[in-house]
Amino acid sequence: GEAKNLPTYPGPNKMRDCYCTVNLDQEEVFRTKIVEKSLCPFYGEDFYCEIPRTFRHLSFYIFDRDVFRRDSIIGKVAIQKEDLQKYHNRDTWFQLQHVDADSEVQGKVHLELRLSEVITDTGVVCHKLATRVLECQGLPIVNGQCDPYATVTLAGPSRQTKVKKKTNNPHFDEVFYFEVTRPSSYNKKSHFDIEDVDEVDKMEIRVDLWNASNLKFGDEFLGELRLPLKFLRQSSSYEAWYFLQPRDNGNKSLKPDDLGSLRLNVVYTEDHVFSSDYYSPLRDLLLKSADVEPVSASAAHILGEVCREKQEAAIPLVRLFLHYGRIVPFISAIANAEVKRTQDPNTIFRGNSLTSKCIDETMKLAGMHYLQVTLKPIIDEICQVHKPCEIDPVKLKDGENLENNRENLRQYVDRIFTVITKSGVSCPTVMCDIFFSLRESAAKRFQGDLDVRYTAVSSFIFLRFFAPAILSPNLFQLTPHHPDPQTSRTLTLISKTIQTLGSLSKSKSANFKESYMATFYDYFNEQKYADAVKNFLDLISSSGRRDHKSIEQPILLKEGFMIKRAQGRKRFGMKNFKKRWFRLTNHEFTYQKSKGDHPLCSIPIENILAVERLEEESFKMKNMFQVIQPERRVLYIQANNCVEAKDWIDILTKVSQCNKKRLTVYHPSAYLNGHWLCCKATADNTPGCTPCTGGLPANIQLDIDGDRETERIYSLFNLYMPKLEKMQEACGSKSVYDGPEEEEYSTFIIDDPKETYKTLKLIIEGVGTLEQEHAQYKRDKFKKTKYGSQEHPIGDKSFQTYIRQQSEISAHSI
């Protein structure tokens, strides 16, 4: 959202140019625009991602941009993964915290300790400690790299492991021996001389991790671990994983400076999804919904009735029906039922019903590319050129001319209107099929109204698709950021006009509360505009229309800077890494030196035989993937972070999914120094040693995990179980007593109490079964969980709480 009360800049003007980053632990996955000259910057930016790896903190850093030096960090907010639910989907102000080497500790270390008794020549017993540092995982990357080493100390000089270059998951496997107690007759004086075995209990072994830096400031601290030796009393050897901890500052409590605060709204969902067969009963019940008579007695319709917001139900339902290719019959059925309940043709599909929310959601999923092709070029131009378009005389700035502004706005509206009404052939098939069924049901219900077949469709395509996308292009991925206030005002004026043009209402000017809008609209009161709208609506709602591949324009799917390794076209050429601007369309994947340059390399989509991750060991670089082409030529690419890498892999896999010669096996590592690092085969044309991942199907209807959506629907039913039970009561009372409706039950639509009751019974049984499965799974997982394992290292407070809760639950159930 925004930050406020940031500390002033020490210079004369006191203001700062700040941006905010979103990080998984310390890996940046998103960055906002820079807000200049402000101590209370407003960002208002949305970022959505699937999280591709485990993490402990979701962190937000505020940076002050410095043109001459490295940008400086003002402060951060770090929310523990376990606490994300506390703040779920509500605006919260967080105090910014200090950032220093100690606050930036992350990662874990694997240690083995062995305390053994040694009998000397004179028959005296002394103790020796062997400390084996096996490996670390997930260390932070400092200034783009990590060259870690560990030091081990026990009440004397420290011993140091070798430095491991360019990795944040180093394997050390080095052992250090310490003499812990010595007989007093020993004549060499050492750093310590402990004779009493009880003294051993007071000692601690310390492991510090450092990043070997070539900067003049010395090596950077990455985290430490302190273990008292007394726990080796019970067993002489001990091996476990530990989370690294911040440095112990001698418990000096630092007085926190007021660094200001940051407003965030975090929506975090975590789905625990079983394999497909668990969901069959509930999924089959949902997918039958389109065929249930009446549709209000179906499982999907009931979900819409019990959810607090119709949107909650619409999102997983649409994704599930799209995945199984059942979206058109389902939407036709619920739309038909809604049309039958509508009394006035002028209010058709105007409410926030389950039908309108499901169609909105379908258009968002299926129509994203369509919006990109139709609107993106002109929206980009409006955002970049900043032509003045204010037509409210009260809001005019000094030196602006009302007539010029009107003309600027008229040109924009005209251009956008033309691209929309000429785009009928590009409208996705699934949307056309839905519009066809809306048009048919509306025309049948209101036979006397000839315009209703148009308004039924225009209320979606104009009012709920094009107009909102023009108004908030960032929410439809047409622009990366929220537009600035002036551009935002221009887009609002265009959106209002387009909405009215598309609505085909009789007295257009009367639609506007503002007189200046009514005057402006007179430009568009010609018949040609109404005819263009009707022709467009006819085209997108006719049943015979299908997509034509021949007219498919190249659609830009994704672009951005990444680092690629030279492909070694020249026999003795350097195979170095270079930063390049990558572009992916539905025709080709290219890269160029910088945005807008001539492509240096172009790979046609049909030449992409596989897209897979690349193991970090290959080049000691994270977030790498490979694009495999004919003759086993491979392009190695490094994305900026784990989220970007996942996005690129997913979309490249999706566009190349239907290629005839797709590979079934690949090499997860690179071919270096005469052999493949993964399988050690020496010939560079050896077939792969690992099966390719399934990837995403090419069709939009399948680019969804059906089991995950069913799990979502199960959680919603489970959450609203009291309402399901109340609905069951309502069915009972309706079928027994058909007099005036009971007040508390009147919120539900129940057309056929018997059928609805049957479906409700099946839903409640299905949800109960899944709930038992989840509970059993948790119990089994708890039994198998070992504290100190790689998954659950020692030092995780939230895990200790979980252990406590689970042991209380299991004790209680016993």
Side-chain angles (χ1 to χ4, degrees):
E2 58 187 311
K4 66 178 183 191
N5 305 334
L6 298 179
T8 54
Y9 188 70
N13 73 10
K14 299 191 175 355
M15 292 298 170
R16 294 178 182 270
D17 301 341
C18 296
Y19 60 91
C20 180
T21 66
V22 183
N23 299 55
L24 292 176
D25 296 320
Q26 286 153 50
E27 182 180 8
E28 183 184 316
V29 292
F30 177 70
R31 178 179 290 210
T32 65
K33 59 177 183 267
I34 295 168
V35 174
E36 296 184 339
K37 300 187 178 60
S38 172
L39 297 177
C40 297
F42 178 82
Y43 299 106
E45 294 194 32
D46 300 300
F47 169 64
Y48 166 83
C49 81
E50 289 276 334
I51 297 178
R53 63 172 176 82
T54 54
F55 69 105
R56 291 183 74 202
H57 291 93
L58 184 65
S59 309
F60 302 82
Y61 291 80
I62 295 262
F63 284 87
D64 185 11
R65 179 183 59 174
D66 191 319
V67 183
F68 303 108
R69 292 200 302 271
R70 257 186 44 220
D71 297 350
S72 54
I73 297 181
I74 296 173
K76 75 166 181 178
V77 171
I79 308 173
Q80 260 196 317
K81 180 184 171 184
E82 290 71 27
D83 293 340
L84 286 168
Q85 276 306 320
K86 277 190 217 165
Y87 308 108
H88 179 75
N89 203 5
R90 55 164 203 225
D91 277 8
T92 312
W93 282 98
F94 294 90
Q95 279 300 118
L96 286 169
Q97 305 297 322
H98 258 288
V99 176
D100 56 27
D102 294 334
S103 72
E104 297 299 86
V105 167
Q106 69 173 47
K108 50 194 177 185
V109 58
H110 189 187
L111 282 190
E112 192 179 339
L113 302 174
R114 184 172 280 115
L115 190 62
S116 43
E117 294 185 343
V118 181
I119 300 175
T120 58
D121 299 346
T122 55
V124 181
V125 175
C126 62
H127 291 81
K128 255 193 168 177
L129 173 73
T131 305
R132 184 174 174 207
V133 185
L134 287 140
E135 59 177 314
C136 293
Q137 280 188 348
L139 298 176
I141 292 175
V142 186
N143 303 335
Q145 67 175 52
C146 190
D147 297 337
Y149 67 89
T151 59
V152 185
T153 319
L154 180 80
S158 64
R159 321 277 180 83
Q160 183 182 324
T161 64
K162 293 188 181 75
V163 173
K164 298 288 177 183
K165 289 282 190 186
K166 291 190 180 169
T167 174
N168 62 342
N169 299 324
H171 283 263
F172 296 112
D173 205 358
E174 294 184 39
V175 186
F176 301 97
Y177 294 98
F178 297 92
E179 288 183 348
V180 182
T181 59
R182 298 215 178 99
S184 52
S185 56
Y186 200 80
N187 49 15
K188 276 190 185 165
K189 277 287 171 212
S190 165
H191 282 276
F192 51 94
D193 216 345
I194 301 167
E195 294 154 27
D196 185 356
V197 175
D198 291 339
E199 287 288 305
V200 176
D201 288 357
K202 294 177 186 162
M203 297 176 73
E204 63 176 13
I205 184 103
R206 201 173 106 199
V207 180
D208 290 276
L209 270 126
W210 300 86
N211 179 39
S213 166
N214 45 17
L215 299 172
K216 58 178 184 291
F217 310 117
D219 296 348
E220 284 111 348
F221 170 76
L222 299 179
E224 71 167 18
L225 183 63
R226 292 173 175 235
L227 296 175
L229 292 192
K230 67 168 174 249
F231 70 84
L232 285 172
R233 277 271 171 259
Q234 288 87 31
S235 68
S236 60
S237 94
Y238 194 80
E239 175 258 333
W241 283 86
Y242 296 87
F243 274 124
L244 288 167
Q245 303 297 338
R247 204 169 355 208
D248 183 9
N249 286 325
N251 295 333
K252 294 197 297 284
S253 57
L254 284 168
K255 183 177 166 291
D257 297 6
D258 191 9
L259 298 172
S261 47
L262 181 64
R263 178 169 65 82
L264 300 169
N265 187 329
V266 179
V267 178
Y268 175 72
T269 51
E270 195 176 278
D271 298 315
H272 297 266
V273 186
F274 288 124
S275 57
S276 229
D277 44 336
Y278 285 87
Y279 297 106
S280 295
L282 185 58
R283 185 176 51 229
D284 296 345
L285 189 62
L286 288 157
L287 292 173
K288 275 201 332 227
S289 295
D291 309 321
V292 173
E293 279 289 331
V295 73
S296 60
S298 69
H301 195 281
I302 289 170
L303 181 67
E305 288 297 288
V306 295
C307 281
R308 204 183 60 201
E309 303 280 341
K310 299 274 190 251
Q311 180 88 356
E312 271 183 307
I315 293 173
L317 283 175
V318 163
R319 295 174 72 90
L320 182 74
F321 283 111
L322 264 175
H323 179 63
Y324 288 101
R326 302 278 297 142
I327 193 72
V328 178
F330 169 63
I331 286 183
S332 303
I334 56 174
N336 210 4
E338 187 178 324
V339 171
K340 281 181 184 156
R341 285 194 294 273
T342 307
Q343 300 306 316
D344 177 359
N346 294 318
T347 61
I348 197 161
F349 299 127
R350 286 299 165 92
N352 278 331
S353 60
L354 183 64
T355 310
S356 53
K357 289 293 179 199
C358 283
I359 296 176
D360 283 358
E361 211 43 51
T362 308
M363 292 193 301
K364 245 186 184 164
L365 282 171
M368 231 16 139
H369 289 337
Y370 176 38
L371 273 182
Q372 297 270 338
V373 184
T374 314
L375 293 182
K376 191 169 170 26
I378 187 160
I379 297 275
D380 283 347
E381 184 188 320
I382 293 168
C383 292
Q384 283 156 13
V385 179
H386 293 297
K387 275 187 189 170
C389 293
E390 183 53 75
I391 57 169
D392 180 354
V394 182
K395 292 186 178 169
L396 274 190
K397 289 185 187 152
D398 291 345
E400 280 187 1
N401 177 314
L402 188 60
E403 276 310 308
N404 287 353
N405 287 11
R406 266 196 201 136
E407 182 52 26
N408 288 343
L409 186 62
R410 190 188 68 74
Q411 284 180 6
Y412 278 147
V413 171
D414 237 341
R415 283 172 60 192
I416 285 188
F417 178 79
T418 308
V419 294
I420 290 174
T421 50
K422 289 258 165 54
S423 70
V425 287
S426 315
C427 185
T429 311
V430 69
M431 283 166 65
C432 297
D433 291 345
I434 289 169
F435 296 149
F436 174 67
S437 80
L438 296 182
R439 173 189 176 128
E440 293 298 288
S441 0
K444 200 164 152 190
R445 170 85 173 86
F446 300 105
Q447 288 173 6
D449 189 325
L450 293 177
D451 275 346
V452 75
R453 59 199 183 136
Y454 292 117
T455 49
V457 177
S458 71
S459 61
F460 286 104
I461 193 82
F462 281 103
L463 269 64
R464 306 177 85 112
F465 185 62
F466 283 121
I470 296 165
L471 187 66
S472 309
N474 54 298
L475 297 183
F476 292 81
Q477 288 152 32
L478 294 171
T479 57
H481 303 301
H482 286 243
D484 61 83
Q486 184 191 325
T487 308
S488 197
R489 173 70 178 154
T490 302
L491 293 173
T492 304
L493 295 169
I494 296 171
S495 177
K496 276 184 173 182
T497 318
I498 289 292
Q499 199 169 324
T500 311
L501 273 167
S503 70
L504 287 171
S505 54
K506 306 288 183 291
S507 57
K508 297 290 177 73
S509 305
N511 279 5
F512 295 108
K513 298 182 198 73
E514 311 95 337
S515 56
Y516 63 84
M517 281 303 291
T519 317
F520 174 67
Y521 197 80
D522 288 340
Y523 286 127
F524 302 98
N525 253 337
E526 295 174 40
Q527 189 57 35
K528 65 172 188 182
Y529 289 102
D531 292 345
V533 170
K534 284 185 175 176
N535 289 339
F536 169 65
L537 295 174
D538 278 334
L539 180 60
I540 62 171
S541 60
S542 61
S543 62
R545 209 207 129 279
R546 283 289 172 269
D547 286 329
H548 307 292
K549 275 282 176 281
S550 56
I551 52 166
E552 205 177 68
Q553 291 296 311
I555 300 170
L556 177 65
L557 301 175
K558 190 168 173 63
E559 60 180 348
F561 274 115
M562 292 192 286
I563 291 168
K564 64 105 201 165
R565 182 176 186 253
Q567 296 180 78
R569 292 187 198 148
K570 302 189 184 100
R571 193 166 176 89
F572 300 107
M574 285 278 287
K575 290 194 181 178
N576 52 357
F577 285 90
K578 287 183 177 155
K579 191 173 179 178
R580 293 289 180 251
W581 181 262
F582 283 83
R583 281 183 100 237
L584 173 67
T585 70
N586 52 343
H587 292 183
E588 59 179 0
F589 181 47
T590 59
Y591 60 78
Q592 48 227 54
K593 220 168 195 164
S594 50
K595 191 175 180 174
D597 286 1
H598 190 70
L600 298 169
C601 168
S602 163
I603 303 170
I605 294 299
E606 57 271 23
N607 279 0
I608 296 178
L609 306 186
V611 183
E612 298 288 348
R613 292 189 179 283
L614 185 71
E615 283 176 0
E616 205 177 308
E617 271 52 55
S618 300
F619 301 108
K620 299 274 193 281
M621 289 163 76
K622 288 182 83 65
N623 304 321
M624 287 201 71
F625 63 94
Q626 47 183 326
V627 178
I628 307 168
Q629 305 161 60
E631 274 104 54
R632 305 218 171 268
R633 277 190 50 203
V634 185
L635 177 61
Y636 295 120
I637 303 173
Q638 183 187 35
N640 301 321
N641 56 57
C642 60
V643 170
E644 275 288 291
K646 182 183 187 303
D647 284 353
W648 274 107
I649 294 169
D650 285 354
I651 196 158
L652 280 161
T653 305
K654 189 178 163 198
V655 295
S656 60
Q657 190 70 38
C658 292
N659 289 351
K660 302 275 187 294
K661 297 180 178 166
R662 271 192 75 83
L663 296 179
T664 51
V665 288
Y666 77 106
H667 290 286
S669 289
Y671 182 79
L672 293 172
N673 307 329
H675 67 273
W676 291 99
L677 299 182
C678 38
C679 57
K680 304 294 181 270
T682 50
D684 63 356
N685 58 358
T686 310
C689 55
T690 306
C692 285
T693 49
L696 300 168
N699 188 336
I700 168 88
Q701 298 182 334
L702 301 170
D703 182 8
I704 287 164
D705 181 340
D707 299 332
R708 180 176 176 172
E709 301 309 327
T710 315
E711 169 65 30
R712 281 266 165 92
I713 292 170
Y714 147 76
S715 332
L716 285 170
F717 274 138
N718 203 14
L719 178 65
Y720 293 112
M721 188 53 81
K723 274 186 146 181
L724 285 171
E725 288 161 353
K726 196 149 200 169
M727 202 169 173
Q728 235 181 354
E729 279 174 39
C731 290
S733 79
K734 272 194 114 162
S735 49
V736 176
Y737 170 67
D738 233 350
E741 215 167 291
E742 299 263 335
E743 190 55 43
E744 58 177 325
Y745 301 144
S746 61
T747 50
F748 301 120
I749 293 175
I750 300 172
D751 297 319
D752 182 334
K754 275 192 182 146
E755 278 302 311
T756 312
Y757 188 88
K758 273 192 221 163
T759 310
L760 280 160
K761 194 161 173 284
L762 290 169
I763 292 172
I764 291 168
E765 279 170 15
V767 169
T769 312
L770 276 169
E771 183 153 29
Q772 284 170 353
E773 294 290 357
H774 275 289
Q776 186 57 48
Y777 175 80
K778 277 184 183 160
R779 284 195 291 273
D780 294 348
K781 192 172 176 208
F782 175 65
K783 281 179 199 155
K784 291 180 196 149
T785 299
K786 178 173 171 264
Y787 194 40
S789 63
Q790 191 171 349
E791 289 74 39
H792 302 290
I794 294 170
D796 185 351
K797 300 210 173 40
S798 58
F799 183 69
Q800 285 166 300
T801 317
Y802 165 76
I803 292 276
R804 243 196 339 272
Q805 287 167 350
Q806 292 299 318
S807 52
E808 282 162 17
I809 293 168
S810 47
H812 175 67
S813 61
I814 290 161

